[in-house]
Amino acid sequence: MTSASPSLFDTAADAAREAPFWAASDPATRAGLLQALARVLEQHRDPLVALAHGETHLGSVRLQGELDRTCFQLRAFADFVLAGSLHAVEHDAAVDGPPPRGRPGMHRVRVPLGPVAMFAASNFPFAFSVLGGDTASALAAGCPVVVRAHPAHLQLSRAVFHLVQRVLHEQHLPSGLVGLVDGASVEHGAALVQHPAIQAVAFTGSLRGGLALQALAAQRAVPIPFFGELGSVNPLVVLPAAFSAQAPEALAAQLAASVTLGMGQFCTRPGVVVLVGCEASRRFLAALALHLAEAPAHPMLTPAIADAYLSGAQALRSTAGVGVLLEPSLERMGALLATVPAADFMAREELRHEIFGPAVLAALCEDEQALVPVLQSMAGTLVATLWGAEADAPLARQLVATATARAGRVLFGGVPTGVAVTRAQQHGGPWPSSTQPASTSVGLHACERFLRPVVYQGAPGWLLSGFPSERS
């Protein structure tokens, strides 16, 4: 582990570069490491959760579940590696004759990019930190990792890193396969991104910080890919049909639980609700305000995050046309609920920016047809939720098409908080929710970020004999 000076970042990055064997390691070796890392987290569950709660205030129940998710995804990537599809060869056999029918034999493989710099997130001390999904997917892909610890849970990061080093030692693997740097300054982050050993960056954090790091990655003598998750308002559109299927008060309780989960510090928290102004909507908003007011409050992850949340709430309150139903204060860091006419929402870009925390802005439309242009006015987002679109109708089709164009995941009912770790998952969307909308940071396809394709044409037999099972 290194800290303090940017020059010390060289130690971790160079150590990762000196682990090239990992790119050629066999599936059993990679899977064995991932499985062992899951076991060591479980073996030290109680002290790790206690340490995480002391730094983040997220509560033991939430943190226990997050540790379970982290272990699950480590094992899921291990199974994915063992299944063989991650590095399977695609083979086009040679065909005699002139082109276009005739062709040489080709074998398409995917090779690891090399050492990955992983910037841990503030809001997920286990699942998006030292042994989170970025680290797990990079190791599964065959890439060493250098983790930039987040200052919001620095002691936990160090404790997990020590366990990682123990596992590497027990498995006779070099310590540089997973490195940790804990310098919190902008200069430290810049030094890591610009280090010549680093071949890709995975980042979860603010739009401002992500933009700065992305620029540095692009300005290198040899630019490297930057996979950033930067910010998302995650709209929830409520068609009037939703209130016919379920009472407004019940839907409000469901939404309030999602908004206040972890003090609203989830990247998938619904931040904008779009609905038609009617009696059912008024009941829904009244119940939502009540549930949000009654939700337990606790300190946010860092003082800076709390200050930004209060500043965002104050700016929203001061915006013409916005009506505030519930707002936080210095005395009680609670939820924010505000309303605005749909026309004002579409006219004011600042209303369509994320407020990180338990905040909800309701855009009120005059009729159902206005739901579509309101959704169209929003930028890219991780997830969009549609309530009441189960029946096939022209409006439902328009909303689905619009949501598909703007989100990486579209929900029909339910709430977007909680992202399943599966093969089919997509956690990434159009700008500014992520910098690479074709990639995902959650789910088994997260490995693909750290692989690049190479085709061997007319390869000799000695090379082909070393390939894994082929997929023709």
Side-chain angles (χ1 to χ4, degrees):
M1 180 176 61
T2 61
S3 60
S5 169
S7 65
L8 294 177
F9 279 48
D10 293 341
T11 304
D14 287 337
R17 179 163 52 187
E18 292 168 4
F21 82 97
W22 193 245
S25 61
D26 60 84
T29 300
R30 294 187 200 177
L33 173 59
L34 294 167
Q35 291 163 347
L37 293 172
R39 286 195 299 271
V40 79
L41 284 180
E42 291 176 333
Q43 290 164 359
H44 295 81
R45 170 188 297 273
D46 290 341
L48 290 176
V49 167
L51 192 56
H53 174 63
E55 290 188 287
T56 67
H57 315 290
L58 290 174
S60 61
V61 174
R62 147 75 194 274
L63 291 167
Q64 290 277 2
E66 189 182 330
L67 189 144
D68 287 337
R69 173 218 171 115
T70 304
C71 295
F72 176 86
Q73 63 190 14
L74 285 164
R75 292 189 171 105
F77 283 117
D79 292 342
F80 193 43
V81 170
L82 290 173
S85 61
L86 183 60
H87 290 285
V89 176
E90 295 187 61
H91 176 212
D92 288 329
V95 176
D96 291 334
R101 185 179 184 280
R103 68 189 184 208
M106 289 179 282
H107 290 77
R108 188 178 193 271
V109 301
R110 291 186 293 177
V111 299
L113 294 179
V116 175
M118 196 284 282
F119 284 72
S122 63
N123 53 341
F124 284 91
F126 290 114
F128 279 82
S129 190
V130 177
L131 282 180
D134 288 334
T135 298
S137 58
L139 290 174
C143 298
V145 180
V146 180
V147 179
R148 195 282 187 88
H150 198 284
H153 42 81
L154 191 54
Q155 296 304 315
L156 174 67
S157 298
R158 290 170 175 166
V160 172
F161 176 71
H162 285 309
L163 295 177
V164 172
Q165 291 300 303
R166 181 193 303 179
V167 171
L168 292 175
H169 177 74
E170 291 171 350
Q171 298 207 354
H172 308 290
L173 297 171
S175 61
L177 187 55
V178 179
L180 181 73
V181 291
D182 61 15
S185 71
V186 173
E187 291 78 14
H188 288 141
L192 184 58
V193 171
Q194 293 175 312
H195 195 284
I198 298 301
Q199 298 302 303
V201 179
F203 172 87
T204 301
S206 70
L207 178 62
R208 181 180 178 183
L211 284 174
L213 293 176
Q214 183 185 35
L216 292 175
Q219 292 164 8
R220 287 178 35 152
V222 178
I224 58 174
F226 180 86
F227 300 96
E229 180 192 309
L230 307 183
S232 187
V233 298
N234 306 310
L236 189 157
V237 180
V238 185
L239 281 79
F243 295 137
S244 299
Q246 198 169 351
E249 292 79 6
L251 289 171
Q254 188 178 16
L255 178 58
S258 177
V259 169
T260 58
L261 184 64
M263 277 298 290
Q265 298 166 117
F266 273 57
C267 52
T268 54
R269 170 194 53 83
V272 172
V273 178
V274 186
L275 67 170
V276 177
C278 61
E279 176 58 30
S281 294
R282 285 187 283 274
R283 287 170 51 196
F284 171 78
L285 291 173
L288 181 59
L290 180 62
H291 287 297
L292 291 175
E294 293 177 343
H298 59 75
M300 300 188 80
L301 291 164
T302 68
I305 290 175
D307 289 343
Y309 173 57
L310 289 175
S311 296
Q314 179 58 39
L316 185 65
R317 191 181 193 281
S318 304
T319 303
V322 172
V324 175
L325 304 181
L326 181 70
E327 62 182 317
S329 65
L330 289 173
E331 294 73 29
R332 187 180 188 277
M333 190 66 69
L336 167 69
L337 176 60
T339 65
V340 65
D344 290 338
F345 179 83
M346 291 186 288
R348 299 177 180 274
E349 183 184 0
E350 65 270 22
L351 295 178
R352 304 193 295 275
H353 293 172
E354 179 187 26
I355 299 177
F356 190 67
V360 183
L361 176 61
L364 300 176
C365 302
E366 292 185 357
D367 54 43
E368 291 187 23
Q369 296 307 313
L371 295 171
V372 174
V374 171
L375 188 57
Q376 288 174 335
S377 72
M378 298 188 206
T381 188
L382 291 172
V383 57
T385 304
L386 304 178
W387 283 358
E390 289 76 17
D392 187 359
L395 178 58
R397 288 176 175 266
Q398 285 182 288
L399 286 169
V400 170
T402 304
T404 300
R406 280 156 180 75
R409 181 164 58 109
V410 180
L411 271 68
F412 296 87
V415 289
T417 42
V419 184
V421 181
T422 68
R423 189 183 187 103
Q425 186 58 268
Q426 174 61 27
H427 189 65
W431 178 266
S433 63
S434 60
T435 61
Q436 302 279 353
S439 70
T440 180
S441 63
V442 178
L444 300 182
H445 286 291
C447 295
E448 295 173 2
R449 295 174 294 172
F450 310 121
L451 296 166
R452 68 175 181 88
V454 175
V455 170
Y456 293 111
Q457 182 171 314
W462 64 264
L463 180 59
L464 298 180
S465 64
F467 287 171
S469 58
E470 297 181 359
R471 184 171 74 241
S472 297

